Amino acid sequence: MQSRQFIILKTETGGSGVVKIEEYRQRLRISVNVKNIAPLRHDEVFKAYLLTDKEKNLFELLGALKGGQGVFDVKEMPVFGVHIYRKNIESGETRLEFWGSGQEDETEVKEKGKEYAQVMAAAPEKVERSYALLSSLDQYFVGEWKKINGYYSIYHYEIVQHVLAMPLVREKIMQYGYYLTCERKKEDETLIALAFPAKLDDEVPFEEQSDFAACVQSAPSSQNCYFAITVGIDPHGEFFGK
């Protein structure tokens, strides 16, 4: 795949859409932006999928869009098509709204997307825990953890500011009054772990970067936990990492 690819999405319901796919630290960063004439209802979501195998009809969930936008970091994989579905989370009704592959003939991608909409409609909408569940902060990130009392950062990196600006992250800090951080340096790379107090059943607060999250329980049977995420800085830029 090219290091950067733009896919213009097709639609039959009006609106427009574009997807940018970039190779990023042996992963793919996929940015989705769609605008639709028919707005989402309160019980509807846009869900983004990749077609990763045309022969076996394998689809990979990217996640739900927010405001028609989403940025997703995923492992390297083939991308034969991008599909955006409108799904009613109560009834399960699902229809293909946007699709594209960057090829001249989009017919095959469109038809495969319509077929998969039937599979999605039959599957109940549920929240899946994709993060690691750990028993201690040292198991997640070894180093000297510091407690930051209040809503501010001891780092000036943009990626740290980005995490702290996430609405649910800010909500956790304001609710509990603190968060934890730990730093580790190796040659020209700096890794920073951030951990935010929460309850085990809370929503992961890291938006599209939730794939990088870990959950650290305070005790084996406790509902108290920390949602943690690690960011890195090296000469090539700033990044999320596990």
Side-chain angles (χ1 to χ4, degrees), residues 18-35:
V18 65
V19 175
K20 180 172 67 173
I21 304 176
E22 299 176 281
E23 293 180 356
Y24 183 72
R25 297 186 64 85
Q26 298 182 329
R27 294 175 68 85
L28 296 182
R29 172 159 291 179
I30 301 177
S31 305
V32 183
N33 191 329
V34 299
K35 296 181 180 179

Side-chain angles (χ1 to χ4, degrees), residues 28-81:
L28 296 182
R29 172 159 291 179
I30 301 177
S31 305
V32 183
N33 191 329
V34 299
K35 296 181 180 179
N36 199 276
I37 291 177
L40 291 173
R41 302 188 332 186
H42 73 281
D43 54 358
E44 293 179 331
V45 294
F46 276 143
K47 304 197 77 172
Y49 282 78
L50 300 180
L51 174 63
T52 61
D53 190 315
K54 291 194 294 184
E55 301 300 322
K56 297 180 181 179
N57 288 342
L58 297 182
F59 285 75
E60 180 81 13
L61 171 65
L62 288 178
L65 303 184
K66 296 184 178 181
Q69 298 181 340
V71 179
F72 308 95
D73 287 328
V74 299
K75 62 184 180 181
E76 284 191 296
M77 64 183 71
V79 178
F80 295 102

Side-chain angles (χ1 to χ4, degrees), residues 157 183-187 189-191:
Y157 300 114
E183 180 181 347
R184 189 167 68 229
K185 293 186 177 182
K186 182 180 179 181
E187 297 178 352
E189 181 180 75
T190 298
L191 296 177

